[in-house]
């Protein structure tokens, strides 16, 4: 279900469907990142002229580039509950840096920041990227807003969709048969699996 979009069209008329055709633009205002192409459904399109066949197509005009980072890189995700635990001074946003209800840690309640999270910065496991975001660039094997989370080992996925002919079982954390304990960097394997 799409909740926030802006729809506009050319043609200079009040109606979207006109005999000479029209270009309709849909801009996503809430779902960020590089979204998949809309798939138009013209099965219910009709035309008053018997000689014309209705046609509807879609193309991507602008690739989304607004961030879609887990907890806006200002919190950690409680994977069991699906809820962000925000860093101090960070709260849920509207997706545009203002207070809101997304549950994403994208709103800085104190106005501005001039340091990276952690003491020392990035807990000594990364580099502070400085202004304007003051985010941590974590060293290999570490992640999270302050580099406190430890990556788990990867292996061939037990269950994953093929990516091409003769290409399947891509690398996945805990081989997709366990949950990563980010405090220890160890996999908590599903029943019947070990390693």
């Amino acid at each position: 279900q799409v909740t926030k979009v802006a729809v506009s069209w050319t043609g200079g008329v009040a109606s979207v469907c006109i005999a000479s055709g029209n270009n309709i633009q849909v801009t996503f205002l809430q779902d960020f990142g590089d979204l998949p192409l809309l798939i138009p459904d013209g099965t219910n399109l009709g035309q008053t002229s018997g000689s014309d066949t209705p046609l509807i197509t879609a193309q991507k005009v602008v690739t989304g580039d607004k961030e879609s980072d887990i907890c806006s890189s200002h919190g950690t995700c409680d994977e069991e509950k699906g809820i962000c635990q925000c860093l101090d001074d960070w709260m849920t946003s509207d997706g545009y840096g203002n207070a809101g209800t997304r549950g994403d840690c994208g709103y800085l309640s104190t106005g501005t920041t001039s340091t990276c999270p952690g003491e020392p910065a990035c807990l000594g496991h990364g580099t502070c990227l400085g202004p304007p975001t003051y985010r941590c660039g974590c060293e290999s094997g570490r992640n999270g807003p302050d580099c406190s989370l430890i990556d788990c080992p990867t292996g061939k996925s037990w269950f994953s969709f093929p990516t091409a002919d003769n290409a399947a079982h891509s690398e996945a954390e805990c081989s997709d048969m366990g949950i990563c304990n980010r405090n220890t960097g160890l996999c908590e394997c599903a029943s019947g699996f070990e390693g």
Side-chain angles (χ1 to χ4, degrees), residues 74-120:
H74 296 295
T76 56
C77 180
D78 180 330
E79 294 180 10
E80 288 183 22
K81 297 178 183 175
I83 297 172
C84 290
Q85 302 295 320
C86 300
L87 296 172
D88 289 343
D89 301 325
W90 290 92
M91 301 171 60
T92 182
S93 81
D94 63 356
Y96 293 93
N98 304 307
T101 58
R102 286 178 53 97
D104 64 352
C105 304
Y107 172 64
L108 181 61
S109 62
T110 58
T112 61
T113 186
S114 59
T115 61
C116 280
E119 185 59 42

Side-chain angles (χ1 to χ4, degrees), residues 152-158 160 163 168-176:
C152 283
T154 63
K156 293 239 180 230
S157 173
W158 278 88
S160 62
T163 55
H169 303 286
S170 58
E171 291 285 313
E173 199 169 52
C174 300
S175 297
D176 282 336

